[in-house]
Amino acid sequence: MKRCTVCGEKFVPNSNRQKYCSDCKKKVLKEQRDKARDKYYRKKFGNNEK
């Protein structure tokens, strides 16, 4: 059993590297994807924020 690094809930990991429970995984992966997308667009097109 491991503890989720976001919510602290105990869960059974599917692999040795798993850090998040299934509920938090969806949120964390979405945040990471959005952050990477924003970084890509800022680098490619410049920072157009006001």
Side-chain angles (χ1 to χ4, degrees):
M1 299 274 294
K2 281 184 148 181
R3 287 201 178 269
C4 176
T5 57
V6 175
C7 67
E9 182 181 331
K10 288 186 177 181
F11 68 96
V12 178
N14 295 326
S15 72
N16 192 29
R17 296 177 56 180
Q18 188 173 351
K19 298 195 298 188
Y20 311 113
C21 65
S22 59
D23 295 333
C24 294
K25 179 174 74 170
K26 295 173 189 172
K27 298 173 197 171
V28 171
L29 291 179
K30 183 182 183 317
E31 290 171 5
Q32 290 174 346
R33 205 171 39 243
D34 291 347
K35 186 177 178 182
R37 185 183 317 119
D38 291 344
K39 183 178 176 181
Y40 169 79
Y41 281 110
R42 272 194 228 106
K43 183 178 179 184
K44 185 167 179 111
F45 301 112
N47 191 1
N48 294 331
E49 296 178 9
K50 294 180 180 177

